Structure formats: structure tokens, C-alpha cells
Amino acid sequence: MPKRLSLFLLVMALVISGLQLGATDTVWAEIPYYEGKTITLITSGAPGGGTDLTARLIATTLPKYLPGNPRIILRSKPGGGGSLALNPFYVRAKPDGLTLMLTSAGSIGLQFTKEKVVKYDLNKMRHIGHASHGGAVVVISNAGMKRLLDPKAEPVVCGSKGGAEAWAYLNMLGQELLGWNLRWILGFKSAGSFSLAFRRGEIDMFGDSRMIKELEEEGKGKGLAQIGIFKKRKFVRRSDFSHVPTMEELLLKAGKKPDGLAWKAYLAGVAPLSIYKLFVAPPGTPDAVMKLLVDAYEKTGRDPKFVESWKKIIGPVLDVGAGSETTEMLADCLSADPEVVAYMNEMKRKNGILR
Amino acid sequence: MMLEAAWQGLTGILQPQMLGLMLLGVVLGSIVAALPGIGGAVLISISLPFAVTLSPMACIAFLLGIGAITNTANTFPSVLMAVPGSAGSQATIVDGYPMAQKGEAARAFGAAYTVSAMGGIFGALVLTLSLPILRPLVLSFGSPEFFVLCLWGVSMVGVLSGRAPLKGIAVGMLGIFIAMIGLDPKSGTARFVFDQPYLWDGINVMIVALGVFAIPETIGMIRRATSIAQTEYGGGLKEGIKDAFRHWFLMLRCAAIGVWVGFIPGLGSSVADWFAYAHAIQTEKNKENFGKGDVRGVIAPESANNAKEGGALIPTLAFGIPGSTGLALTLIAFLAVGIDPGPKMLTEHLDLVFAMIWVLVISNLMATGLCLALGKPMARISFLPYYVVAPMIIVLCFMAAFAANFDWLDLVALMVISAIGYLMKELGWPRPPMVVGVVLGEKMERYLWLSTARYGLSWLLDPAVIVLLVLLISSVVVAPLIQHRRAKKAA
């Protein structure tokens, strides 16, 4: 038996050490900085999701513009709205430019609403850049359109995952300022499930980027409003939905001014979308390394192959920002005053969608 | 027109470059499927930058080649080590592993791969026949119908509990409780998470399956100090192939279940194999051997999980809505190379639709050939001494669990669930109901909520719901009662 036990332990040790050998990086060099090095790019999304796909696109182009052309390996760490990846990254990642992170707008929202699980501070991280595909479009069924402004009619049923989507703020603003007659049904899982429920007549309204075009073409509904591309506090229509007005335009058309608490809450709600995917390095990453990363990311954003792949895989709109531009936008997203936060929560509570 | 398009699709796919890419997809897909915890979706995700540079036909050959067979090679770890290769091979463990213990691993492989191929081809056939009615077919199921289907699934707990239905119900409830850990599906309220972000997304079903089956069985093997196979030899590959044809009607029924579950977006592959397995127990005669290494317990889930892929293509082709993560990624690649799944495709690119169907058929045959060739040498693993095999299984389990989220807490979760699983094994409590509870718990809650929030209680009067409920009651209550009476009379 002792012989068998020792054989057991030997095989176990061999298997584990074999795995470790395979995972070890051995190549190190000094000049240029990234020569022979490997960057680990952690993503907070599951394989196949928007964050993961964006990270894969970045990983194929960024090394071309970094001195020394490093290798980039990806590590997915989904869950906890991004906090599962961000919390340890914030505390433990070495600030040497070899561990980077791509996260989504959801992580900004979590910090903004001061969720308990958030142990990170995005403001203190070093910002390489961001990439956005523009805001969602809200579609409404033909039957729903007839009831939208009639307070006595059966409310328009609005489907949502959990009321945390940026376009949910668009609908809540519509309720507050334009008198939209809505009833919220929460609990859908994906844009695909929205689309099927919409076709079956289970819901009259939802927001998305990809699924709307086909519904419009089939005559099942029409784009009611869109968030648009939000840059420097201005909204512009997406080029692929140029026929759908932004919320700002709808308000002006109805003779309302886009200001006041409701408008501020809307701005705070949709602002993270202008960042969409945030690319960061750990706090304390030296300026010299940051300069390399920011420059390379800027060039990546203009790279024709990257742009073409983005448009094919993510969507027709690409808005890339880098360095201080991202830092300023992020500070904007995270700096709403407590009065606005309280108002946002009140809007959610009224509609039964407060977490 | 249909025949012409079918011919065009076939000639397009039979070109050497397409066959080469399909073979590449099949080989890569098989390797990944045999490694627990990785899954076809990850492989497709990695292959995406390459796939978007291909022609539409080549993209179909490569990506669907991977997707169509991920449920074929995953039988290796399920049968040999009680480790589910992916979500679609959990139920195979229940009879597959006891077969390996009886020295019948090769027989299990023979049966599994034959029915996998047949199931995959059946799925392709059903997809072809469904082409004219794809859209109404998918839209006929709403949240209330989904809920009743999930309820039907949970009712299988009784069937899967053998002679201990009360214990089975208790274990099933434990599974449903585990499924409730995390953010609640309707409002995002955190439940039982104790401020731990790790628990936000709940416990991964792969970790539960590893903890409930693989680790307890491996500990059992170490305690027995034997190889996996406890007897010398009980039947080989050819015997398994014969078994598959002997039980052709069971295979056909379970393949139909697979297609049916596949075309309902949101139910997922882990549901298909459990539905099929429970159906086998409910309908087959001489059921006392189920759970103890009955080949029918391998045939049922393996017929369903490949047939499901054909079914999952139905919503993808009808509406451009993917039925699984793998198909969601495939869809992205299709869009990138100029294939636009949805209603237009059925009218304007019917040749590409048929190319997809042919890929399902040919890649299933390729994968079956490959796996049958590897069946005998792989089966020898079950005769290796425990001190060689056990460390490998344990490391493989921990790697598979870690691959779920890349978090060390995955390993803690695996150890806790393994302890529960081992206790259940030692005390003779049925373990499959726990996995079924975890698989269906979240879905059942979500659809019950959506049905009630949208329709109040009026959804109970929906004709489709009534029909499904009648079928459910007759299969769960009436049929067993009749069988019980017959058995009593015969006695």
C-alpha cells in the first residue's frame, strides 16, 4: 500500500508540475519594453459576449503597435457584473503593463450605484481607452404605438432583463416627461428572448441594437427612439438608424426642454454607454508604460483591419477614445450628485425595478 | 426548387477544401469536447478571427463542423471517469460509468457513437422537413409553455430516484435551492450570496456535476484500490453498435426529444439529455438495471444530444436567434462573411441552408468514425490501476471546475459539493435529481415569473398549456399507476 500511495502521489505531482511548466512564461527582455513579453488581457465577460469579442479584436491588432510586438493572451473572468474580475485586478495586478483589463459599462454602473460588492475604484485605475458601438434603439409594436400616449388604454408592455439596461432610462424618461403609458415585465434573458416575445405579442416594446432592423423591415414595429452616440454631452443619431429620433429630439418636438432632474438622471443612466468597453491598466502603472499603451491603442482604433473587423463582428458604429479623453468621460459618468442618484432610484422604485 | 438547392448545397460542401475544413473542425471539436470544462463555444470563440476570413461555404463547413459534434467525443470522459465533457453529457454518466465499471466501456462507446451519428442525422432530417414551417413552429412556444416544460423536467426527479422517491424529491429540492443562489432573474436581487461577488452568478452546473458524480466515484475507486473496471471484460465495441440497432425505436424517440428541446431557445443542451434519459426509464420495460450500467441509459441521452444541434438551428435559421452560445458565435461569424440567417435566407440562399444541413450529416459521420476508431484504445483507460488514473481524474476535475470562472473559489465550491456528493453516494441517496434541480431550477423560476407577471393566472387557461399539463400528468401520475397495477396483476 505505501508503494501504491507513493506512486499515486508521484503521478499527481507529475501531472500538476507538467501543467505548471506549460503555463510558465520564461522569455524576458529589456529593450524595447515589450519585446519577448506576454500581456495577459483579462476580460470581465463570458466567451462569446461583447466584451470577450472586443478583447479578441484588440488582442489581434494592439501588439502590432507596441514596441517589441508582445504576445497577448486572454483570460475570461465573467460574473458579479464585472466585479469578480475587477476586484482582484484592482488590488493585486502588478502595475507593469503586462496585466491589463477590458471591462464593460456594467462595471461603471455598479460603482455609480455603490453596490456592496464593488471593491474597486475605476477613477484610480490607469485608463488606456474605450470603444463604443453607440446606444440602443427602442422598438414598439404597431398595437403598442396606438396605446402609448393613452393613459386609459391598457399599458404598453415593456420587456427588460432587470431594468438595468441603459435604454431602460430612456423609457423611464419617456414615462416621466412624455407621459408614456408603460408596464414593465422584468426577467428576460437576452435580446433573442425579447425578439421572440415581441413577435409572439408577449411584449410590445424593448431596446436593442441588432434585432430591431429586421422587425422594422417585417412591419412588426418601428423604432420609437434611440439613445444615439453620446459624446461630450451631445447626442447624435446612429448612422444605421438615422430615421429614429434621439430622446433629446423627441423632447424638443414635444415642446419640452431637456433639463431638470429627470434629464440629469437620464444622462447619468446612459453615460456609461458612451464608454461601453473600458480598457484599463492597474493603479500605479508608470507613465512611460501608459504612454506606450495609449499610443498603441489610439493607432489600433484607426487600424483599417480593426475597424473592418469591428464593423463585421460588433456593429456598424465604432467610437474609440484613448487616454485622457477616456479619463474625463469616466469621471463624468461617476460624478452625478446624490440628488440625481436618489431621483434615479425613485424612478426605478416606481416601476418596480429597483434592485 | 428544394431538390435543386439540396443538390447545390451538397456539391458545394463536397469540394476538397470544404471537406478539409470540416474535418479540421471535427478533429478540433472532438479534442475540446473530450476535455471537460472547455466546451465547443470556447473553441468557436477562439476560431472566430480565422473563420471570418473564409468564404460563406467554408465558414459553414468549419464552424458547424465544430458545433455539430461537440456532443460526440464528450462521451469519453463521461463513461470513463464520470466527468461530464460538457453540459450535454451529464445523463450519460448515470449508466455509462457503471458500464465502464463492469468492463463495458468499449460497448458503451460503440452504442453512444452509433446513436450520436444517427441522432445527428435525424436532427438534420427533421430540420429539412421543418423548413416550410420554421417560424410558426418556434413562435408556438411562449413563457407559459416553457414553464410547463420545465415543470415536466423537474417531475422527472421522481423517475430518476429509483426506489427512493422521497429522497429523490429532497435531493431535487436541494438542487433547486442551489440554482437559486445568485442574482434573482427578475429584479437582480442578490440571494444567498453573503456579499460574495463569486456567488452572484450562482454555482456553475459543471461544478455541481463534477462534485456529484466524478469526485465521489473517484474517491470510491481509491478506497476500493482497483481500476475503474472492477470485472475483466463484459463486451466490446461491436456489441455496442449492435445494441444501438437493437434499440432503434428508443434511439428514434430520444432523437425526437433532442430536436424538440433544441428548437426551443433557452432550454439548453443539458436539458435534452436528461429529458431523454427520463423518457427511457418511463417507457422501457425491465427498468431495474437503469443506473447500474444499462446500455439503454447511454443510448437515450446520446441519441438526444446530437439531434439537438439540428433542432437548435431552427430558431437560428428562422429568426437569426441562436439556440446556444456556440450558435450565437457562429451567427456572428456568418454575419461577418455575408450570411444573414433569418427569413431572407430561406428564400434567397436555400443552397446555404442545405449546405448547413449536409454539414450536420457529414460531420456527424466523420466524428463517429473518429471516435469509434479511438473507442477501443480509450476503453483501456478503465483497466489502468487506480493510482495512475485517479490523480489524472482529480486534476482534470479541478481544471474543469477552474475553467468555469477562473476563480479559486470554484475549487472551494467543487470541494463542498464533492463532500455532499460523496455523502449521498455512501448513504445511497439518488444523485441525478440534484443535477436536474440545478439545470432546471433557474429556468422554471424565470418562466413562472414571466408568465404570471404578463398574464396573471389566465395563462393556465391557454390551450397549449392545458394540453401540455394533461400530457405531464398522464406521464408522471397515470402511466406509473397503470404500470404498477399491471405489475401487481402479473404478480
Side-chain angles (χ1 to χ4, degrees), chain A residues 39-44 75 77 82-103 107 119-122 124-128 278-285 290 293, chain B residues 406-407:
Chain A
I39 294 174
T40 303
L41 175 54
I42 302 167
T43 71
S44 62
R75 259 188 65 193
K77 200 162 163 44
S83 61
L84 260 184
L86 271 164
N87 285 343
F89 175 80
Y90 180 65
V91 180
R92 293 204 294 265
K94 273 190 190 168
D96 55 7
L98 297 180
T99 310
L100 308 174
M101 166 123 197
L102 190 82
T103 188
S107 332
K119 312 283 182 217
Y120 56 84
D121 184 350
L122 290 171
K124 287 187 182 160
M125 289 190 196
R126 305 296 312 265
H127 310 122
I128 302 166
L278 177 64
F279 191 18
V280 292
T285 306
M290 282 309 296
L293 289 166
Chain B
F406 291 104
D407 197 308

Coordinates of all heavy atoms in Angstrom, one line a residue, chain A residues 39-44 75 77 82-103 107 119-122 124-128 278-285 290 293, chain B residues 406-407:
Chain A
I39 N 1.5 39.8 -22.6 CA 0.5 40.6 -21.9 C -0.7 39.7 -21.6 O -1.2 39.0 -22.5 CB 0.0 41.8 -22.7 CG1 1.1 42.8 -22.9 CG2 -1.2 42.5 -22.0 CD1 0.8 44.0 -23.8
T40 N -1.2 39.7 -20.4 CA -2.4 39.0 -20.0 C -3.5 40.0 -20.1 O -3.5 40.9 -19.3 CB -2.3 38.3 -18.7 OG1 -1.2 37.4 -18.6 CG2 -3.6 37.5 -18.3
L41 N -4.5 39.8 -21.0 CA -5.6 40.7 -21.0 C -6.8 40.0 -20.4 O -7.3 39.0 -20.9 CB -5.9 41.1 -22.5 CG -7.2 41.9 -22.8 CD1 -7.2 43.2 -21.9 CD2 -7.2 42.3 -24.2
I42 N -7.2 40.5 -19.2 CA -8.4 39.9 -18.5 C -9.7 40.5 -19.0 O -9.7 41.8 -19.2 CB -8.2 40.1 -17.0 CG1 -6.9 39.4 -16.5 CG2 -9.4 39.4 -16.2 CD1 -6.5 39.8 -15.1
T43 N -10.7 39.7 -19.3 CA -12.0 40.3 -19.6 C -13.0 39.9 -18.6 O -13.0 38.8 -18.1 CB -12.4 39.8 -21.0 OG1 -12.8 38.5 -20.9 CG2 -11.4 40.0 -22.1
S44 N -14.0 40.8 -18.4 CA -15.0 40.5 -17.4 C -16.2 39.9 -18.0 O -17.2 39.6 -17.3 CB -15.4 41.8 -16.7 OG -16.0 42.7 -17.7
R75 N -7.8 36.1 -20.8 CA -8.4 35.3 -19.7 C -9.7 35.8 -19.4 O -9.9 37.0 -19.1 CB -7.5 35.4 -18.5 CG -6.6 34.3 -18.2 CD -5.9 34.4 -16.9 NE -6.8 34.3 -15.8 CZ -6.6 34.6 -14.5 NH1 -5.3 35.0 -14.2 NH2 -7.5 34.6 -13.6
K77 N -13.0 36.2 -17.1 CA -13.3 36.0 -15.7 C -14.7 36.6 -15.5 O -14.8 37.7 -15.0 CB -12.3 36.7 -14.8 CG -12.3 36.1 -13.4 CD -11.0 36.5 -12.8 CE -11.1 36.4 -11.3 NZ -11.7 35.2 -10.7
G82 N -19.0 42.1 -13.4 CA -17.6 42.6 -13.7 C -16.8 42.6 -12.5 O -15.5 42.7 -12.6
S83 N -17.4 42.6 -11.3 CA -16.6 42.8 -10.1 C -15.7 41.6 -9.7 O -14.7 41.8 -9.1 CB -17.6 43.1 -8.9 OG -18.4 42.0 -8.7
L84 N -16.1 40.4 -10.2 CA -15.3 39.3 -9.9 C -13.9 39.4 -10.6 O -12.9 38.9 -10.0 CB -16.0 38.0 -10.6 CG -16.8 37.1 -9.7 CD1 -17.3 35.9 -10.5 CD2 -15.9 36.7 -8.5
A85 N -13.9 40.1 -11.7 CA -12.6 40.3 -12.4 C -11.9 41.5 -11.9 O -10.7 41.6 -11.6 CB -12.8 40.4 -13.9
L86 N -12.7 42.6 -11.7 CA -12.1 43.9 -11.3 C -11.6 44.0 -9.9 O -10.6 44.6 -9.7 CB -13.2 45.0 -11.5 CG -13.2 45.6 -12.9 CD1 -14.5 46.4 -13.1 CD2 -12.0 46.5 -13.2
N87 N -12.3 43.4 -8.9 CA -11.8 43.5 -7.5 C -10.4 43.0 -7.4 O -9.5 43.7 -6.9 CB -12.8 42.7 -6.6 CG -14.1 43.4 -6.4 OD1 -14.2 44.6 -6.7 ND2 -15.1 42.7 -5.9
P88 N -10.1 41.7 -7.8 CA -8.7 41.3 -7.6 C -7.7 42.0 -8.5 O -6.6 42.2 -8.1 CB -8.7 39.8 -8.0 CG -10.0 39.6 -8.7 CD -11.0 40.6 -8.3
F89 N -8.2 42.4 -9.7 CA -7.3 43.1 -10.6 C -6.9 44.5 -9.9 O -5.7 44.8 -10.0 CB -8.1 43.4 -11.9 CG -7.3 44.3 -12.9 CD1 -6.3 43.7 -13.7 CD2 -7.6 45.6 -13.0 CE1 -5.6 44.5 -14.6 CE2 -6.9 46.4 -13.9 CZ -5.9 45.8 -14.7
Y90 N -7.8 45.1 -9.3 CA -7.6 46.4 -8.7 C -6.6 46.3 -7.6 O -5.7 47.1 -7.4 CB -8.9 47.0 -8.2 CG -8.8 48.3 -7.5 CD1 -8.4 49.5 -8.2 CD2 -9.1 48.5 -6.2 CE1 -8.3 50.7 -7.6 CE2 -9.0 49.7 -5.5 CZ -8.6 50.8 -6.3 OH -8.5 52.1 -5.7
V91 N -6.7 45.2 -6.8 CA -5.8 45.1 -5.6 C -4.5 44.4 -5.9 O -3.5 44.8 -5.4 CB -6.6 44.2 -4.5 CG1 -5.8 44.0 -3.3 CG2 -7.9 44.9 -4.2
R92 N -4.6 43.4 -6.8 CA -3.4 42.5 -6.9 C -2.6 42.6 -8.2 O -1.4 42.3 -8.2 CB -3.8 41.1 -6.8 CG -4.3 40.7 -5.4 CD -4.2 39.2 -5.1 NE -5.1 38.4 -6.0 CZ -6.3 38.0 -5.7 NH1 -6.7 38.3 -4.5 NH2 -7.0 37.3 -6.5
A93 N -3.1 43.2 -9.3 CA -2.4 43.1 -10.5 C -1.1 44.0 -10.5 O -1.2 45.1 -9.9 CB -3.3 43.6 -11.7
K94 N 0.0 43.5 -11.0 CA 1.2 44.3 -10.9 C 1.1 45.4 -11.9 O 0.7 45.2 -13.1 CB 2.4 43.4 -11.4 CG 3.0 42.6 -10.2 CD 4.3 42.0 -10.8 CE 4.8 41.0 -9.8 NZ 5.9 40.1 -10.3
P95 N 1.6 46.6 -11.5 CA 1.5 47.8 -12.4 C 2.7 47.9 -13.4 O 3.4 48.8 -13.4 CB 1.5 49.0 -11.4 CG 2.2 48.5 -10.2 CD 2.0 47.0 -10.2
D96 N 2.8 46.8 -14.2 CA 4.0 46.8 -15.1 C 3.5 46.7 -16.5 O 4.4 46.5 -17.4 CB 4.8 45.5 -14.8 CG 4.0 44.2 -14.8 OD1 2.8 44.3 -15.2 OD2 4.6 43.2 -14.4
G97 N 2.3 46.9 -16.8 CA 1.8 46.9 -18.2 C 1.6 45.6 -18.8 O 1.4 45.4 -20.0
L98 N 1.8 44.5 -18.0 CA 1.7 43.2 -18.5 C 0.4 42.5 -18.1 O 0.1 41.4 -18.6 CB 2.9 42.3 -18.0 CG 4.3 42.8 -18.5 CD1 5.4 41.9 -18.0 CD2 4.3 42.9 -20.0
T99 N -0.3 43.1 -17.2 CA -1.7 42.6 -16.9 C -2.6 43.8 -17.1 O -2.6 44.8 -16.5 CB -1.8 42.2 -15.4 OG1 -0.7 41.3 -15.2 CG2 -3.1 41.4 -15.2
L100 N -3.5 43.6 -18.1 CA -4.5 44.7 -18.4 C -5.9 44.1 -18.3 O -6.1 42.9 -18.2 CB -4.2 45.2 -19.9 CG -2.8 45.6 -20.2 CD1 -2.6 45.9 -21.7 CD2 -2.3 46.8 -19.3
M101 N -6.9 45.0 -18.4 CA -8.2 44.5 -18.2 C -9.2 45.3 -19.2 O -9.1 46.5 -19.3 CB -8.6 44.8 -16.8 CG -10.1 44.6 -16.5 SD -10.3 43.4 -15.3 CE -12.1 43.1 -15.6
L102 N -10.1 44.5 -19.8 CA -11.2 45.1 -20.5 C -12.5 44.8 -19.8 O -12.8 43.6 -19.6 CB -11.2 44.6 -22.0 CG -12.1 45.3 -22.9 CD1 -11.5 46.6 -23.4 CD2 -12.6 44.5 -24.0
T103 N -13.2 45.8 -19.5 CA -14.5 45.6 -18.8 C -15.6 46.3 -19.5 O -15.4 47.1 -20.5 CB -14.4 46.0 -17.3 OG1 -15.5 45.6 -16.6 CG2 -14.2 47.5 -17.1
S107 N -19.8 47.6 -15.2 CA -18.9 47.8 -14.0 C -18.9 49.3 -13.6 O -18.8 49.6 -12.4 CB -17.4 47.5 -14.3 OG -17.3 46.5 -15.3
K119 N -15.3 46.6 -4.9 CA -14.1 46.9 -4.0 C -13.0 47.6 -4.9 O -11.9 47.7 -4.5 CB -13.5 45.6 -3.5 CG -14.4 44.6 -2.9 CD -14.9 45.0 -1.5 CE -15.8 43.9 -0.9 NZ -16.9 44.4 -0.1
Y120 N -13.4 48.1 -6.0 CA -12.5 48.8 -6.9 C -12.9 50.2 -7.1 O -14.0 50.6 -6.8 CB -12.5 48.1 -8.3 CG -13.8 48.0 -9.0 CD1 -14.4 49.0 -9.7 CD2 -14.6 46.8 -8.9 CE1 -15.6 48.9 -10.3 CE2 -15.9 46.7 -9.4 CZ -16.3 47.8 -10.2 OH -17.6 47.7 -10.8
D121 N -12.0 51.0 -7.6 CA -12.3 52.4 -8.0 C -11.8 52.7 -9.4 O -10.6 52.8 -9.6 CB -11.6 53.3 -6.9 CG -12.0 54.8 -7.2 OD1 -12.6 55.1 -8.3 OD2 -11.7 55.7 -6.4
L122 N -12.7 52.7 -10.3 CA -12.3 52.9 -11.7 C -11.5 54.2 -11.9 O -10.7 54.3 -12.8 CB -13.5 52.8 -12.6 CG -14.2 51.5 -12.7 CD1 -15.5 51.5 -13.5 CD2 -13.2 50.5 -13.5
K124 N -9.3 55.5 -10.1 CA -7.9 55.4 -9.7 C -7.1 54.5 -10.6 O -5.9 54.4 -10.5 CB -7.8 54.8 -8.2 CG -8.2 55.9 -7.2 CD -8.0 55.4 -5.8 CE -8.4 56.5 -4.8 NZ -8.6 55.9 -3.5
M125 N -7.8 53.8 -11.5 CA -7.1 52.9 -12.4 C -6.5 53.8 -13.5 O -6.9 54.9 -13.7 CB -8.0 51.9 -13.0 CG -8.4 50.8 -12.0 SD -9.3 49.5 -12.8 CE -10.0 48.7 -11.3
R126 N -5.6 53.2 -14.3 CA -5.0 54.0 -15.4 C -5.8 53.6 -16.6 O -6.0 52.5 -16.9 CB -3.5 53.6 -15.6 CG -2.6 53.8 -14.4 CD -2.5 55.3 -13.9 NE -2.2 56.3 -14.8 CZ -1.0 56.8 -15.1 NH1 0.1 56.3 -14.5 NH2 -0.9 57.8 -16.0
H127 N -6.2 54.7 -17.4 CA -7.1 54.4 -18.5 C -6.4 54.4 -19.8 O -5.8 55.4 -20.3 CB -8.2 55.5 -18.5 CG -8.8 55.6 -17.1 ND1 -8.8 56.8 -16.4 CD2 -9.4 54.7 -16.3 CE1 -9.4 56.6 -15.2 NE2 -9.7 55.3 -15.1
I128 N -6.5 53.3 -20.5 CA -5.9 53.2 -21.8 C -6.8 53.7 -22.9 O -6.4 54.5 -23.8 CB -5.5 51.7 -22.1 CG1 -4.6 51.1 -21.0 CG2 -4.9 51.6 -23.5 CD1 -4.4 49.6 -21.0
L278 N -14.4 49.4 -21.5 CA -13.3 50.3 -20.9 C -12.0 49.4 -20.8 O -12.0 48.3 -20.2 CB -13.8 50.7 -19.5 CG -12.8 51.5 -18.6 CD1 -12.5 52.9 -19.3 CD2 -13.4 51.7 -17.2
F279 N -10.9 50.0 -21.3 CA -9.6 49.3 -21.3 C -8.7 49.9 -20.3 O -8.4 51.1 -20.4 CB -9.1 49.4 -22.7 CG -7.9 48.5 -23.1 CD1 -7.6 47.4 -22.3 CD2 -7.1 48.8 -24.2 CE1 -6.5 46.6 -22.6 CE2 -6.1 48.0 -24.5 CZ -5.7 46.9 -23.7
V280 N -8.3 49.2 -19.2 CA -7.6 49.8 -18.2 C -6.3 49.0 -17.8 O -6.2 47.8 -18.1 CB -8.4 50.0 -16.9 CG1 -9.5 51.0 -17.1 CG2 -9.0 48.6 -16.4
A281 N -5.4 49.8 -17.1 CA -4.2 49.1 -16.5 C -4.3 49.3 -15.0 O -5.1 50.2 -14.6 CB -3.0 49.8 -17.0
P282 N -3.6 48.6 -14.2 CA -3.7 48.7 -12.7 C -3.3 50.1 -12.2 O -2.5 50.7 -12.9 CB -2.8 47.6 -12.2 CG -2.5 46.7 -13.3 CD -2.6 47.5 -14.6
P283 N -3.8 50.5 -11.1 CA -3.3 51.8 -10.5 C -1.8 51.7 -10.3 O -1.3 50.7 -10.0 CB -4.0 51.9 -9.1 CG -5.1 50.9 -9.2 CD -4.8 49.8 -10.2
G284 N -1.2 52.8 -10.5 CA 0.3 52.9 -10.3 C 1.1 52.5 -11.5 O 2.4 52.5 -11.4
T285 N 0.5 52.1 -12.6 CA 1.3 51.8 -13.8 C 2.1 53.0 -14.3 O 1.5 54.1 -14.4 CB 0.3 51.3 -15.0 OG1 -0.5 50.3 -14.5 CG2 1.1 50.9 -16.2
M290 N 2.3 53.7 -19.7 CA 1.0 54.1 -20.1 C 1.0 54.8 -21.5 O 0.1 54.6 -22.3 CB 0.4 55.1 -19.1 CG -0.2 54.4 -17.9 SD -1.3 53.1 -18.2 CE -2.7 53.9 -19.0
L293 N 1.1 52.2 -24.2 CA -0.2 51.6 -24.3 C -1.3 52.5 -25.0 O -2.0 52.1 -25.9 CB -0.7 51.1 -22.9 CG 0.0 49.9 -22.3 CD1 -0.3 49.7 -20.8 CD2 -0.3 48.6 -23.1
Chain B
F406 N -12.4 30.7 -13.7 CA -11.0 31.1 -13.4 C -10.9 31.7 -12.0 O -10.3 32.7 -11.8 CB -10.4 32.0 -14.4 CG -10.2 31.3 -15.7 CD1 -11.0 31.5 -16.8 CD2 -9.1 30.4 -15.9 CE1 -10.8 30.9 -18.0 CE2 -8.9 29.7 -17.1 CZ -9.8 30.0 -18.2
D407 N -11.6 31.1 -11.0 CA -11.6 31.7 -9.7 C -11.3 30.5 -8.7 O -11.8 29.4 -8.9 CB -13.0 32.3 -9.4 CG -12.9 33.2 -8.2 OD1 -12.4 32.8 -7.1 OD2 -13.4 34.3 -8.3

